[in-house]
């Protein structure tokens, strides 16, 4: 089988690749496991999928970073008889016509969890900036819709910036550029919601350079973000922080679906990976902010539910 990533260079994808490899290692029917990094280039991503089909893989898991632009290549793999399982970002299309099954999660629920926290953290209202991944990707759009479902009931909280979200391509360097530009444009930013906490943490120096306090943050978990929060608290500059599980383990469900369908095994009952709150600095529930010094800064404490410390360290070298 093979895993085709649309963009494999960031820390989320590297840890997720380790999750996939670990899951594959449990499957004796998998005789080889190949991987490709689309490098955030649609044409390379398409070429990678075509290459796996030509190589004769039996099962293919795809992270369609560019969304529906990847659908023709995914459909072509499926029509060629390869068990094809896109996951996390929707390529659109339909199961049974364009691919075998789409492994999804309720990103709107993550947005609702962010919205609930922001209402709690901003009792007097405020201005919220949302950062997302590539333009029009299904994850960031659904998170925005879920968050707005909550915030629309609280008119004293205003969402500012490009709508529905500021585009970062889930790239730390671009995130820094977007944050720097937002700080120059908006004299008041009370909170930031983003689906890539690690990239936002890498942009924290921009706040210091602008002489601005780090605002309240609602995001996915990141060890660097948690340790930065701990350091800010120690310096008397604490900011509110809420995270959901980063869901690196979601790829395991995609692998299970692909392997079972390719080998005639028992197909998992569900193709939906659950959302879950992870850290809350205000309530400490389900966890307080978790800075793990045994892990690299770019690791994810939530991934410790399925990967060992040593596996994360190896993935991030």
């Amino acid at each position: 089988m093979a895993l085709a990533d649309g963009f494999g260079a960031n820390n989320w994808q590297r840890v997720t690749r380790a999750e996939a490899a670990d899951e594959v290692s449990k499957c004796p029917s998998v005789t080889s496991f190949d991987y490709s990094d689309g490098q955030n280039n649609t044409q390379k991503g398409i070429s990678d999928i075509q290459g796996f089909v030509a190589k004769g893989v039996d099962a293919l898991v795809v992270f369609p970073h560019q969304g529906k632009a990847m659908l023709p290549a995914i459909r072509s793999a499926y029509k060629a008889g390869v068990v094809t399982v896109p996951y996390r970002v929707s390529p659109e299309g339909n199961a049974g016509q364009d691919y075998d099954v789409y492994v999804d999660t309720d990103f709107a629920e993550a947005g609702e969890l962010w919205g609930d926290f922001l209402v709690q953290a901003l009792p007097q209202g405020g201005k919220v900036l949302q950062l997302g991944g590539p333009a029009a990707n299904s994850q960031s759009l659904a998170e925005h819709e879920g968050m707005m479902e909550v915030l629309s009931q609280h008119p004293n909280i205003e969402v500012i910036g490009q709508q529905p979200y500021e585009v970062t391509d889930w790239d730390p360097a671009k995130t820094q550029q977007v944050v720097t530009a937002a700080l120059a444009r908006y004299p008041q930013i009370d909170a930031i919601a983003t689906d890539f906490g690690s990239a936002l943490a890498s942009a924290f120096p921009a706040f210091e350079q602008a002489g601005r306090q780090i605002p309240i943050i609602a995001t996915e978990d990141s060890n660097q973000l948690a340790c930065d929060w701990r350091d800010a608290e120690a310096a008397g500059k604490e900011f509110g922080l809420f995270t959901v599980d980063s869901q690196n383990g979601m790829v395991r469900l995609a692998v299970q679906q692909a392997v079972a369908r390719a080998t005639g095994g028992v197909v998992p009952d569900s193709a939906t990976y659950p959302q879950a709150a992870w850290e809350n600095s205000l309530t400490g529930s389900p966890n307080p902010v978790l800075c793990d010094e045994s892990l690299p800064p770019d690791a994810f404490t939530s991934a410790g539910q399925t990967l060992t410390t040593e596996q994360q360290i190896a993935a991030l070298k």
Side-chain angles (χ1 to χ4, degrees), residues 16-30:
T16 299
R17 179 181 178 182
E19 298 264 14
D22 185 63
E23 191 65 24
V24 165
S25 72
K26 302 174 183 179
C27 305
S29 57
V30 179

Side-chain angles (χ1 to χ4, degrees), residues 11-12 114 194-199 218-226 241-248 276-279 290 295 297-305 312:
N11 58 322
W12 191 91
W114 293 348
T194 175
D195 44 19
F196 197 8
S198 295
T219 185
E220 292 184 346
D221 84 277
S222 151
N223 196 41
Q224 179 180 345
L225 183 58
L241 177 63
F242 173 84
T243 67
V244 294
D245 181 337
S246 283
Q247 295 192 316
N248 301 92
W278 185 246
E279 300 162 304
L290 301 171
L295 287 170
D298 50 354
F300 303 90
T301 55
S302 65
Q305 299 170 99
Q312 280 211 70

Side-chain angles (χ1 to χ4, degrees), residues 11 21 50-51 64 104 106 117 129 132 134 144 147 158 172 174 181 184 189-190 208 221 281 296 307 311:
N11 58 322
Q50 293 171 338
D104 64 0
D106 189 353
F117 175 76
L129 180 73
H144 176 78
M147 185 176 72
E158 177 188 359
K174 186 167 182 178
I189 301 176
D190 300 297
E208 183 176 352
D221 84 277
S281 67
L307 287 177
Q311 285 174 314

Side-chain angles (χ1 to χ4, degrees), residues 18 105 140-141 144 163 242-243 259 277:
T105 187
S140 301
L141 286 171
H144 176 78
Q163 298 298 311
F242 173 84
T243 67
V259 172

Side-chain angles (χ1 to χ4, degrees), residues 121-136:
L122 294 169
Q124 305 304 316
K127 297 182 183 295
V128 178
L129 180 73
Q130 183 180 0
L131 311 181

Side-chain angles (χ1 to χ4, degrees), residues 15 18 292 294-296 299 303-304 306-317:
V15 171
D292 187 342
S294 70
L295 287 170
T306 45
L307 287 177
T308 66
T309 297
E310 291 73 23
Q311 285 174 314
Q312 280 211 70
I313 290 172
L316 293 166
K317 281 184 177 179

Side-chain angles (χ1 to χ4, degrees), residues 76-100:
S76 178
Y78 173 72
K79 296 294 186 183
V82 178
V83 172
T84 307
V85 181
Y87 83 105
R88 196 161 182 87
V89 170
S90 174
E92 302 188 8
N94 298 288
Q97 296 179 16
D98 303 295
Y99 43 80
D100 287 85

